[in-house]
Amino acid sequence: MLEMKQRERLSMTECKGDYIKWNELSNQNLVDSLMMLGEDDLYAVTKGIKWKGHRCYLHTYYDSLKAELENKKFTHRLLQCYDELTSHNERQENQVFYDKYFFVRDFPKRERKVQYNEEAIRRHKQNHIGWLVIISNKDEGCHRSVALISAKGCG
């Protein structure tokens, strides 16, 4: 009950535009707001926000097991696309992926030079792998939201 009151007070403060600096790992409020759900490595933070004049709740989840799987798939796809590019066997459906994660230079007298776009790869791994964000108009809490996600087969 005390945790619910503290979370509600924090949400009301944030709705007024007084936000915690969530990117500071040393910030005790962030550490207090993180919840480990179940025995899985699933961490969650709920924060109140204003969106188009309405009060909403932003549930942010990080699943380290899912991140490991997604990272493996992403790395496999990077290697596969690298091989396709160096062997001149590009597939049309991968063109957007090539453009985003590789630098390709063709030389008339030399072979093709293919390099990874390290910055784009780093950003993708940091911002997309393992994360799930849900916005709702009800504060059902992280536990309830993740249960709904699992029931619908979205997680």
Side-chain angles (χ1 to χ4, degrees):
M1 188 68 170
L2 183 61
E3 178 185 304
M4 183 66 110
K5 286 182 181 179
Q6 182 181 6
R7 201 168 72 210
E8 182 64 26
R9 185 174 40 80
L10 181 61
S11 294
M12 291 301 293
T13 304
E14 290 172 345
C15 283
K16 293 176 187 171
D18 214 7
Y19 295 101
I20 294 172
K21 295 178 182 171
W22 295 98
N23 59 346
E24 295 179 11
L25 291 177
S26 62
N27 188 327
Q28 190 60 43
N29 289 325
L30 174 61
V31 174
D32 291 344
S33 299
L34 282 174
M35 289 193 277
M36 188 169 173
L37 303 178
E39 293 182 16
D40 297 331
D41 291 335
L42 179 65
Y43 301 92
V45 173
T46 297
K47 104 181 200 182
I49 61 169
K50 273 204 170 190
W51 182 55
K52 295 185 179 181
H54 298 281
R55 182 177 176 165
C56 298
Y57 296 91
L58 190 69
H59 305 284
T60 306
Y61 301 92
Y62 179 77
D63 184 343
S64 61
L65 298 175
K66 185 178 177 186
E68 191 175 321
L69 260 171
E70 288 176 357
N71 188 46
K72 186 177 180 179
K73 287 179 185 178
F74 181 69
T75 302
H76 178 75
R77 186 162 182 209
L78 279 171
L79 294 171
Q80 180 183 9
C81 287
Y82 181 85
D83 288 343
E84 290 171 7
L85 286 168
T86 54
S87 63
H88 295 278
N89 291 329
E90 296 102 71
R91 295 184 355 202
Q92 187 62 35
E93 62 267 19
N94 288 336
Q95 190 59 50
V96 173
F97 196 83
Y98 301 147
D99 293 342
K100 188 171 186 176
Y101 298 111
F102 295 96
F103 298 117
V104 181
R105 292 177 56 192
D106 288 311
F107 297 98
K109 294 184 179 183
R110 290 190 281 164
E111 291 187 22
R112 172 179 274 189
K113 184 174 183 180
V114 179
Q115 292 180 309
Y116 293 102
N117 183 345
E118 297 289 341
E119 181 61 24
I121 293 169
R122 185 193 59 75
R123 274 195 316 266
H124 177 80
K125 286 182 176 186
Q126 181 180 3
N127 297 330
H128 298 285
I129 292 182
W131 294 98
L132 175 67
V133 178
I134 300 172
I135 189 167
S136 69
N137 58 354
K138 294 181 183 177
D139 183 12
E140 297 175 337
C142 296
H143 290 358
R144 175 82 174 124
S145 295
V146 81
L148 289 171
I149 294 165
S150 296
K152 292 184 179 184
C154 300

